[in-house]
Structure formats: C-alpha cells, structure tokens
Amino acid sequence: MPLDLNASRIKLKAAREHIERLKKCTSPLDPKYYDISLIETPGPVIMLNPPKSYRLVYTPKEPIPETLANIIGDALGNLKSALDYAAVRIDAPGTYFPTAPRSDLPNQRTLTKLEAALPGFRDLLLNTLRPENGPDEPLWGLIGKANNENKHEDFIPTLTMVEVQGINARIGTSSLNNCAGGDDAARPINLIRSAAPIQFSSDCKTLVAMTFGASTSVPNEAVIPTLNRAADAVERTLNEIDKSANPYPWASGSGAIANNP
C-alpha cells in the first residue's frame, strides 16, 4: 500500500499560511494592534492658568507579543503535526516523529519502530535529515517544543519597534515632515512632546523587529525567516521520506509500506 503523505502536506501548507499571516500583520504592524493619539496633560493645579503639555503617543491596544505568539505557535504546531502524521502513516496511530535533541535520537524507541516499518529510516534521519552538528538542528528544537501544552507561551517573541515612519505634525508655526521615532513596540511610546498643541496626520507606518526569546533553541533569531527555514526543513523531510518509501516514479506515490491502509 502506498505511503500517503497528503495529510502531512496539508499541515505544512497550513503552517506556511500562518507564517504569511504573521508577515502581513507585522510588515508593517497592523494598525489594529496600536493607536497613535494626542494626549493633553494639564499643568500644576497650584498655578493660575497653568500651562498644558501635549504628547503624541503610540499605545498598544493589546499585548502584542502574546497575540503574535499565538500565530507563531500555530505555525510550529502545524509543522510538528505534519511530521507526526508522516510517522503515523509509516507505523501506526500513536507514533510520533522523533524531534528529541540529536544526542538522544539513537536511543529513541520511536526511531526503532519507524525503522522496522520503513527500513532505512534510521539512516535517513541520523545522516541526512538530522546529521550530527547539522545547521538545521536548532530548527528541530523549535519544532519539537511545539508539542507541549504551553507552546504559545514558549514562543512569545521579543518585539522591538524599529520606527514609526511618516509622522507629519504641526506645532505652532513649526512643521515636522515625514519624521520617525520609536522604542519598545510592546509599551506606550512618547513620539513627540510639546508645550503647544500638536496637529498630526495619522498616515503613519510602524515597522517592528521580532526575534525569538532566550528560552528557545534559536535565541535572538528573526522570527519570520526562522519559521520559513523550519517549514523548508519539514518539506525536505517529507520529500525524503516520500522518496524512501515510494522509490518508483512511475508509481506516482506508491510504495512498499503495507501495514497502514
């Protein structure tokens, strides 16, 4: 019976769609996540006609890193599912794809089961897909972590604002054209302070930088490129398994595994 990896490829496609969604809502940052508004602050009440001050302030509308972590977790969860679906097709329900640290792989019981069901799988995994000190090993650590209950919390990104671009404001008789300012995108930011009222255009663009946190296997790595590399690693894995299990091009996906209908 041929080894059918369609379910795995559907999960891989879903992961790439989550990555694209993450890119669309952060490049630039979607305005639904923040507000830029003018705040007027009264002067000291002890003064007669106390002077007011004005601030143009960037304010998050929700916990942005935690919100984006949900999308990141969904992408990685789908990548993990793509691998696990392949393991189930090779062996049986309840079998999970080995994503343990590379040093632990040779002794994994799951690896023994998959080798028995698909001879050559052990060599494929240890020497081709996950060679010792391979460049993709941190990505496997990231994917492997997506199987626990707190996966979204584990993937809360470090979010920093590169800048708010295109700030156009008038303060009294002075004009600020196409200015930029920035700081931590997860917290309120005072973009402009003034003793005079501020008139401003809201046609701003907010650029942010996202990196994985220190507790992950890819600390300080840019989130979207890293997710794309992880998806590519999963796709290579599925392709290699497909070639190993279904070695005859004329069979269009047929293979030697017969214990899974």
Side-chain angles (χ1 to χ4, degrees), residues 24-200:
K24 286 183 178 179
C25 69
T26 59
S27 303
L29 188 63
D30 194 315
K32 70 181 180 182
Y33 292 131
Y34 67 92
D35 179 59
I36 295 178
S37 57
L38 183 64
I39 296 179
E40 178 182 313
T41 304
V45 295
I46 60 174
M47 296 178 61
L48 183 64
N49 298 320
K52 297 178 181 179
S53 62
Y54 303 86
R55 292 177 293 141
L56 190 62
V57 181
Y58 160 96
T59 306
K61 293 181 179 178
E62 57 187 280
I64 299 176
E66 289 80 359
T67 299
L68 298 179
N70 287 326
I71 307 175
I72 297 169
D74 287 341
L76 290 168
N78 275 301
L79 293 180
K80 181 68 169 59
S81 293
L83 295 171
D84 287 339
Y85 279 7
V88 165
R89 296 304 298 170
I90 293 171
D91 183 47
T95 302
Y96 297 96
F97 197 94
T99 55
R102 175 60 176 74
S103 59
D104 297 340
L105 285 181
N107 300 319
Q108 289 285 303
R109 179 174 174 271
T110 299
L111 181 56
T112 302
K113 293 175 62 180
L114 292 171
E115 173 65 23
L118 178 60
F121 180 87
R122 180 185 181 89
D123 178 71
L124 175 65
L125 182 69
L126 297 181
N127 296 320
T128 300
L129 299 175
R130 298 185 62 182
E132 191 169 3
N133 299 318
D136 288 343
E137 195 57 27
L139 304 176
W140 285 94
L142 194 66
I143 295 169
K145 202 171 185 181
N147 65 354
N148 62 50
E149 295 179 356
N150 297 318
K151 66 180 183 182
H152 291 175
E153 293 181 9
D154 289 336
F155 301 131
I156 294 176
T158 299
L159 186 67
T160 56
M161 177 177 291
V162 178
E163 59 184 0
V164 178
Q165 293 184 341
I167 301 174
N168 296 302
R170 177 176 293 276
I171 305 171
T173 59
S174 300
S175 295
L176 298 175
N177 298 314
N178 199 29
C179 295
D183 203 331
D184 182 353
R187 301 180 180 182
I189 303 167
N190 292 317
L191 299 170
I192 301 175
R193 291 176 180 268
S194 172
I198 303 171
Q199 296 176 326
F200 72 98

Side-chain angles (χ1 to χ4, degrees), residues 200-213:
F200 72 98
S201 167
S202 59
D203 297 331
C204 301
K205 181 169 68 173
T206 301
L207 304 181
V208 294
M210 291 186 298
T211 57
F212 280 103

